[in-house]
């Protein structure tokens, strides 16, 4: 005999899909920021960053390890991408 969830919101279907780790990685928690305004500004900057990365050939999935839902995302991604040429020996000495 199967148990029914107590809360109907826990039933997953087309209109209420299961929340995955990928969605969690991109969902911004306003409490992580000093104010809701700063959280909103972060989301707008992140969108511009994502569009620029996409135009350069970087898929969104490549950005997920840099915690795109937390303050400092752009800096973490920038540091990694600027370190790559040196790590691969592509940088001019």
């Amino acid at each position: 005999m199967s148990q029914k969830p107590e809360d109907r919101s826990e039933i997953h279907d087309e209109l209420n899909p299961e929340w995955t780790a990928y969605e969690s990685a991109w969902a911004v928690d306003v409490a992580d920021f000093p104010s809701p305004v700063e959280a909103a500004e972060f989301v707008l900057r992140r969108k511009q960053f994502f569009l620029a990365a996409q135009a350069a050939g970087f898929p969104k999935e490549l950005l997920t390890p840099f915690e795109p839902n937390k303050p400092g995302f752009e800096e973490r991604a920038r540091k990694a991408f600027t370190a790559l040429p040196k790590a691969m020996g592509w940088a001019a000495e």
Side-chain angles (χ1 to χ4, degrees):
M1 194 157 77
S2 66
Q3 288 185 318
K4 291 184 180 179
E6 291 179 25
D7 183 353
R8 300 270 311 147
S9 68
E10 293 179 20
I11 298 172
H12 304 291
D13 59 29
E14 288 179 21
L15 297 175
N16 183 29
E18 186 173 0
W19 193 258
T20 67
Y22 181 79
E23 280 96 9
S24 293
W26 287 88
V28 173
D29 185 353
V30 175
D32 288 338
F33 295 85
S35 73
V37 171
E38 290 184 48
E41 289 171 346
F42 169 80
V43 171
L44 293 173
R45 284 192 318 274
R46 183 181 72 175
K47 181 177 181 179
Q48 292 304 314
F49 186 97
F50 168 63
L51 291 173
Q54 186 179 35
F58 296 102
K60 188 175 181 180
E61 294 76 16
L62 185 67
L63 302 174
T64 306
F66 303 109
E67 296 183 293
N69 61 341
K70 301 288 184 198
F73 160 67
E74 300 112 319
E75 183 64 16
R76 287 187 297 278
R78 185 193 63 74
K79 282 182 180 179
F81 291 138
T82 56
L84 181 61
K86 183 176 179 184
M88 295 299 296
W90 300 338
E93 297 296 323

